[in-house]
RNA sequence: GGCCCCAUCGUCUAGUGGCCUAGGACGCCGCCCUCUCAAGGCGGUAACACGGGUUCAAAUCCCGUUGGGGCUACCA
């Protein structure tokens, strides 16, 4: 039998990391079994659902690389795939349950039920629908409905153990009397989650229901529905919740949680998926955690998924993403980085081939240090936006300058640099050895001041890589020209003189 | 309140009664490399929530306690 799984989000907001992990586990399971992955939109909550969210949701999912075989946009044999387009199916099945007296009309008002609930809560009883309308004779109920009385349809729950096997949690059960008579059809004719879900899963021939842990208690109700409708139970697998770093439920205050935010920050979809897969599951081979979606689907094992909730860890996500970024290689990363640099106004909207080639060198110099593509901005700021005033005001830079001989190195470096027409890498190296000879400084005491002279910072990419970038960059047609070596040293020295003049005792 | 679920290093996890003086990964710390910060390499720190059982033997099985999560909707 073909494995059929589904991801069934509600279009009530952005796609969330928790949802994406659920989608991923479904996808992984489908792919490793040559199965079908269905995307179903659960939009029966009319007040919260928006078609705008449906679009965003699919966009996020497409970006992630999880592709679906059936769904609202791609169609399929078991459509429609949007629940609001399936209301007739729910009504049909509801009619069946009604005629078999497995369900009944309930005429209690929302207010009355709320009152009942409060009263039960107040006396310490479990709040459940009393079943008041259960005993209204079906004929009388039908007549009342025909007369236009507002009514919902409720399921008759039963006594006795309700149980099912869960691939992740094992055998799960609850006493039937714990389950109240839940609503199958609302007064407006739409179906709430539990009923719509079961009808759809049956009709869409879903073999494995893989969803969030929060649905375990819904599953008991759904088992009742499968029984009443006379359908065979699918396999169930429930996934634990993703928690924030502090162990509470993941939310906005833990940082980004919606997928579009991760995309904007420059996380690679494959890396996000890789990390999410690791949240609740471990690859069989220890120490081999960086995996592509294809490798994941080959090694993934649903029955080995962890039951306990997992905390979302940014440090590890960053590491996973960095690893994927390195795998990607410089040319592709350059393409990804361009939009971020354009946003800063550093790169023209349509960079020339010459600029792109130079950019390749820029990316080459920094790409090992990027956790996410977005980081390219702060890593390359010293190239595109040279600001000695700001740089020299940094206490750490000032401390480096206060080292014995530091200023002398900069002056000497400045003088030597001025003597050369072109400053390619070889010339630069020659200049450095001259400075070394004249000042007697070496190692850190030599290079630290030179770094400050060139970047007004004490840390950054290798100077040897930076020199050609500065020199070649100055000839490029960029929105703001790249300051070449001479200009940089001159500017730093000017600021330095101002700075020294203002230092009492100097 | 009731019901259900969960509990191994700071975090993600391996572990399915002896292979566990508990393994790996991220982080952290140290060393090496090095012009800097990183990156990279090497090494180190660090956990079976607690209390009872069962057993020759328990991280692994059972019970309880504590702590977390979920459900208890005409939300999903």
């Amino acid at each position: 039998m073909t494995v059929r799984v589904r991801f069934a989000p509600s279009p009530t907001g952005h796609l969330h990391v928790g949802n994406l992990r659920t989608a991923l586990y479904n996808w992984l399971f489908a792919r490793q079994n040559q199965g079908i992955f269905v995307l179903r939109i659960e939009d029966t909550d009319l007040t919260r659902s928006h078609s705008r969210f449906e679009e965003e949701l699919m966009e996020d999912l497409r970006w992630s690389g999880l592709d679906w075989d059936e769904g609202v946009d791609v169609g399929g044999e078991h459509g429609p795939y949007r629940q609001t387009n399936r209301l007739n199916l729910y009504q049909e099945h509801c009619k069946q349950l009604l005629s078999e007296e497995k369900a009944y009309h309930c005429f209690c008002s929302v207010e009355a039920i709320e009152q009942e609930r409060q009263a039960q809560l107040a006396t310490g009883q479990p709040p459940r629908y009393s079943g008041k309308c259960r005993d209204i004779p079906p004929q009388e109920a039908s007549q009342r409905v025909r007369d236009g009385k507002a009514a919902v349809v409720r399921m008759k729950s039963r006594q006795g153990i309700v149980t099912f096997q869960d691939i992740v949690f094992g055998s799960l059960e609850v006493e039937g009397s714990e389950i109240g008579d839940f609503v199958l059809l609302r007064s407006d004719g739409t179906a709430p989650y539990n009923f719509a879900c079961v009808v759809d899963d049956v009709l869409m021939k879903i073999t494995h229901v893989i969803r969030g842990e929060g649905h375990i208690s819904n599953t008991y109700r759904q088992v009742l529905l499968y029984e009443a409708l006379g359908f065979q139970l699918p396999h169930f697998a429930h996934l634990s919740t993703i928690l924030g770093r502090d162990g509470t439920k993941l939310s906005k205050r833990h940082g980004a949680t919606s997928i579009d935010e991760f995309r904007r920050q420059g996380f690679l979809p494959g890396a996000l998926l890789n990390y999410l897969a690791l949240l609740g599951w471990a690859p069989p081979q220890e120490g081999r955690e960086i995996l592509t979606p294809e490798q994941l689907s080959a090694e993934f094992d649903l029955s080995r998924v962890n039951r306990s909730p997992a905390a979302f860890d940014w440090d590890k996500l960053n590491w996973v993403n960095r690893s994927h970024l390195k795998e990607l290689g410089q040319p592709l990363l350059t393409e990804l980085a361009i939009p971020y640099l354009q946003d800063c106004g550093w790169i023209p909207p349509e960079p020339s081939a010459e600029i792109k080639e130079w950019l390749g060198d820029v990316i080459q110099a920094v790409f090992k240090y990027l956790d996410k593509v977005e980081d390219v901005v702060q890593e390359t700021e010293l190239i595109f936006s040279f600001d000695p005033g700001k740089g020299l005001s940094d206490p750490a830079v000032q401390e480096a300058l206060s080292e014995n001989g530091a200023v002398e190195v900069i002056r000497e470096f400045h003088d030597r640099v001025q003597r050369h027409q072109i400053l390619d890498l070889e010339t630069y190296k020659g200049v450095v050895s001259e400075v070394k000879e004249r000042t007697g400084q070496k190692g850190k005491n030599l290079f630290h001041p030179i770094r400050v002279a060139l970047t007004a910072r004490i840390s950054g990419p290798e100077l040897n890589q930076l020199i050609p970038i500065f020199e070649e960059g100055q000839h490029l047609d960029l929105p703001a020209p790249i300051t070449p070596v001479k200009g940089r040293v001159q500017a730093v020295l000017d600021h330095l003189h101002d700075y020294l003049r203002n230092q009492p005792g100097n």
Side-chain angles (χ1 to χ4, degrees):
Chain A
M1 197 166 77
T2 311
V3 163
R4 293 178 58 85
V5 298
R6 86 299 194 281
F7 175 56
S10 297
T12 55
H14 285 278
L15 189 64
H16 187 269
V17 281
N19 291 323
L20 183 60
R21 190 185 55 153
T22 303
L24 170 65
Y25 281 23
N26 272 285
W27 182 87
L28 253 18
F29 189 72
R31 291 294 169 259
Q32 72 181 181
N33 290 295
Q34 287 80 46
I36 299 294
F37 181 42
V38 177
L39 176 65
R40 182 171 76 217
I41 302 295
E42 307 211 329
D43 58 346
T44 64
D45 183 353
L46 271 17
T47 55
R48 294 202 303 150
S49 299
H50 289 289
S51 55
R52 166 174 55 111
F53 288 133
E54 183 179 311
E55 242 336 290
E56 282 174 3
L57 214 129
M58 289 200 283
E59 235 178 82
D60 289 341
L61 215 48
R62 277 187 210 108
W63 170 80
S64 77
L66 303 183
D67 53 332
W68 53 98
D69 308 296
E70 296 176 21
V72 283
D73 56 334
V74 295
E77 295 171 45
H78 304 275
Y81 292 94
R82 189 183 288 115
Q83 289 189 325
T84 46
N85 296 335
R86 301 173 62 82
L87 297 181
N88 58 323
L89 296 168
Y90 310 137
Q91 284 160 7
E92 226 171 81
H93 285 82
C94 187
K95 221 170 274 174
Q96 182 197 329
L97 292 175
L98 235 23
S99 70
E100 292 169 1
E101 296 189 24
K102 290 170 177 168
Y104 61 94
H105 286 288
C106 169
F107 301 93
C108 298
S109 68
V110 181
E111 295 76 29
I113 289 175
E114 183 52 29
Q115 251 176 35
E116 191 179 280
R117 225 178 80 87
Q118 291 306 330
Q120 287 168 329
L121 238 30
T123 55
Q125 289 169 355
R128 264 196 295 275
Y129 175 63
S130 64
K132 196 168 140 195
C133 295
R134 238 191 207 229
D135 303 322
I136 299 174
Q139 294 84 351
E140 191 193 324
S142 305
Q143 187 56 49
R144 282 213 235 172
V145 171
R146 272 195 297 276
D147 291 346
K149 288 271 190 196
V152 300
V153 176
R154 285 184 185 275
M155 175 72 185
K156 283 184 186 170
S157 63
R158 65 160 172 81
Q159 307 271 302
I161 298 294
V162 178
T163 180
F164 67 96
Q165 290 297 319
D166 191 282
I167 297 171
V168 174
F169 284 86
S171 183
L172 259 19
E173 61 171 56
V174 76
E175 168 52 45
S177 55
E178 293 293 333
I179 305 170
D181 288 355
F182 55 97
V183 172
L184 261 28
L185 224 52
R186 302 186 183 108
S187 48
D188 66 358
T190 62
Y193 174 73
N194 281 300
F195 191 52
C197 179
V198 168
V199 172
D200 288 347
D201 284 341
V202 167
L203 264 27
M204 292 179 180
K205 299 194 160 34
I206 300 303
T207 58
H208 298 257
V209 173
I210 305 169
R211 78 226 303 190
E213 181 188 19
H215 287 297
I216 287 179
S217 42
N218 281 323
T219 308
Y220 301 118
R221 295 188 186 86
Q222 296 184 7
V223 168
L224 251 30
L225 251 10
Y226 279 96
E227 280 177 10
L229 258 8
F231 294 119
Q232 203 195 339
L233 245 45
H235 298 280
F236 289 103
H238 287 93
L239 275 18
S240 67
T241 324
I242 297 181
L243 270 22
R245 194 69 165 72
D246 56 359
T248 64
K249 203 177 174 186
L250 191 65
S251 69
K252 286 277 170 270
R253 66 195 168 76
H254 295 107
T257 54
S258 65
I259 301 311
D260 66 314
E261 291 175 85
F262 288 91
R263 174 177 45 197
R264 279 202 296 272
Q265 290 180 27
F267 285 96
L268 258 21
L272 219 209
L273 257 22
N274 188 170
Y275 174 67
L276 255 19
L278 259 22
L279 230 41
W281 169 81
Q285 196 183 332
E286 280 193 346
R288 194 164 162 264
E289 296 191 335
I290 300 301
L291 301 163
T292 63
E294 291 66 36
Q295 292 170 321
L296 286 172
S297 71
E299 301 193 5
F300 184 70
D301 184 350
L302 196 52
S303 65
R304 281 172 52 92
V305 168
N306 223 21
R307 282 182 277 277
S308 51
F312 194 89
D313 181 6
W314 282 91
D315 286 330
K316 184 137 184 182
L317 202 219
N318 284 338
W319 172 75
V320 171
N321 198 55
R322 194 164 70 227
S323 306
H324 280 257
L325 246 20
K326 282 179 195 156
E327 285 291 307
L328 195 66
Q330 181 269 109
L332 288 174
L333 186 51
T334 303
E335 289 302 319
L336 291 180
I338 287 173
Y340 291 88
L341 301 175
Q342 286 169 332
D343 275 357
C344 293
W346 294 342
I347 295 293
E350 306 215 348
S352 63
E354 200 187 5
I355 290 177
K356 281 195 173 186
E357 200 190 324
W358 173 80
L359 264 183
D361 294 339
V362 172
I363 299 303
Q364 187 63 43
V366 301
F367 93 107
K368 278 186 301 219
Y369 322 125
L370 306 179
D371 285 340
K372 45 194 186 292
V373 186
E374 184 186 61
D375 296 344
V376 76
V377 169
Q378 52 170 348
E379 289 295 329
T380 59
E381 193 182 12
L382 82 183
I383 298 171
F384 291 102
S385 168
F386 174 60
D387 185 350
K390 186 179 158 204
L392 294 182
S393 65
D394 180 349
V397 173
Q398 291 178 7
E399 199 186 316
L401 288 173
S402 67
E403 289 287 328
N404 258 345
V407 174
E408 192 198 348
V409 168
I410 293 179
R411 286 201 178 111
E412 192 62 35
F413 184 65
H414 169 262
D415 292 347
R416 297 273 149 186
V417 158
Q418 295 304 332
R419 299 179 189 184
H420 296 277
Q421 199 60 265
I422 1 166
L423 207 89
D424 56 18
L425 190 54
E426 286 314 305
T427 316
Y428 160 76
K429 284 181 178 171
V431 166
V432 171
S433 26
E434 284 168 25
V435 174
K436 180 179 179 181
E437 216 168 285
R438 306 255 323 171
T439 61
Q441 299 290 357
K442 58 179 183 174
K444 194 171 173 175
N445 290 336
L446 175 65
F447 284 98
H448 231 148
I450 292 177
R451 174 172 292 280
V452 172
L454 290 169
T455 67
R457 298 188 184 202
I458 52 162
S459 69
E462 279 182 46
L463 290 174
N464 285 355
Q465 281 183 291
L466 248 19
I467 298 298
I469 288 171
F470 293 154
E471 289 303 284
E472 286 159 29
Q474 68 177 315
H475 305 299
L476 262 21
D477 185 22
L478 295 172
I482 301 296
T483 313
V485 170
K486 281 182 195 174
R488 284 170 182 261
V489 180
Q490 188 64 58
V492 167
L493 202 56
D494 290 347
H495 274 86
L496 205 53
H497 285 147
D498 289 347
Y499 168 71
L500 292 175
R501 209 171 298 133
N502 295 332
Q503 288 290 305
N506 274 324

